[in-house]
Amino acid sequence: MTPDEAARSLEGLSLQELREAWRRHGFGAPPKLRAPDLLRRCLAWLIQTRAYGGISPPLRRQLRGEGRLGDGLETGARIVREWAGVRHEVEVMEGGGYLYAGRRWTSLSPIAFEITGTKWNGPAFFGLRRASTT
């Protein structure tokens, strides 16, 4: 049976059967998940990863957000935010960094501070990331 066939064979298995299959495939004790669909997907991924290899290091870095230029924005992209009735525009620079008010900045957070006078998470201030509620 191919790894893909093994993964497809998990369809229709109960939660208990999925846990048994987890052990049978040699992945140790199954997680305490109670959602059969989630356990099925995890097990299928493990089976296929064992056979075909995992995620490549460059893709892993990309998924983690490492090495992205300008918080994932392309060079030349413009970030616009209105604050206190004033429009503020930031440009993503080649090689990393930002251009704001004629100056080059290495991060959005000091730009947000420059605009507001208070500490902000720069990407959250510019709407690139959800602001923390804690």
Side-chain angles (χ1 to χ4, degrees), residues 43-66:
L43 183 53
W45 185 82
L46 287 171
I47 292 168
Q48 292 171 336
T49 298
R50 179 189 285 162
Y52 302 123
I55 298 171
S56 69
L59 179 56
R60 187 177 308 274
R61 282 191 299 275
Q62 184 180 2
L63 291 172
R64 285 186 183 141
E66 298 170 8

Side-chain angles (χ1 to χ4, degrees), residues 83-121:
W83 182 262
V86 179
R87 177 185 164 105
H88 300 273
E89 195 169 305
V90 177
E91 182 181 346
V92 179
M93 302 297 294
E94 185 172 349
Y98 305 90
L99 182 65
Y100 171 72
R103 291 176 42 202
R104 189 177 186 110
W105 304 74
T106 58
S107 168
L108 290 172
S109 295
I111 298 172
F113 181 82
E114 178 82 7
I115 292 169
T116 66
T118 59
K119 291 194 176 201
W120 274 83
N121 173 293

